[in-house]
Amino acid sequence: MTDDAYDVPDGAPAYECRYCGRPFAREEWLALHRGLDHPERLDDEEVTAFRAAHEAEESELGSFRLRALGALVVIYFCLLMIYALV
């Protein structure tokens, strides 16, 4: 792939995949990319970084899902009360 395929601003920190050259803004995203797109090439340190990043991402996703569900329940009951009063 060519470097111009990705729009990385000048001076922005970028972590580049050594296997395909794709840049990432965070080291955790690079670890996730390597684990998902290049699993057969990873060494032990990269596998550990992928597992830690995957665990953190799953935890954040679980928290987001609970907050989104809570927001939907609140909105539903608010609309239900408005409908009942009108």
Side-chain angles (χ1 to χ4, degrees), residues 43-79:
D43 60 18
D44 291 339
E45 185 178 316
E46 290 173 330
V47 169
T48 303
F50 168 71
R51 288 185 179 154
H54 187 266
E55 233 175 76
E57 190 77 14
E58 282 294 318
S59 175
E60 288 178 27
L61 264 174
S63 175
F64 171 76
R65 287 176 181 148
L66 284 175
R67 287 181 288 157
L69 178 62
L72 287 174
V73 168
V74 168
I75 290 170
Y76 172 77
F77 281 109
C78 287
L79 290 174

Side-chain angles (χ1 to χ4, degrees), residues 1-84:
M1 292 192 173
T2 61
D3 290 277
D4 59 355
Y6 303 103
D7 187 21
V8 179
D10 292 334
Y15 300 93
E16 198 169 292
C17 178
R18 65 178 167 189
Y19 304 118
C20 64
R22 183 173 177 186
F24 293 89
R26 294 185 183 170
E27 199 168 359
E28 295 84 14
W29 295 348
L30 173 61
L32 287 170
H33 163 75
R34 284 181 182 162
L36 294 173
D37 290 351
H38 313 291
E40 67 284 344
R41 295 179 172 181
L42 300 183
D43 60 18
D44 291 339
E45 185 178 316
E46 290 173 330
V47 169
T48 303
F50 168 71
R51 288 185 179 154
H54 187 266
E55 233 175 76
E57 190 77 14
E58 282 294 318
S59 175
E60 288 178 27
L61 264 174
S63 175
F64 171 76
R65 287 176 181 148
L66 284 175
R67 287 181 288 157
L69 178 62
L72 287 174
V73 168
V74 168
I75 290 170
Y76 172 77
F77 281 109
C78 287
L79 290 174
L80 185 64
M81 290 300 131
I82 290 171
Y83 179 75

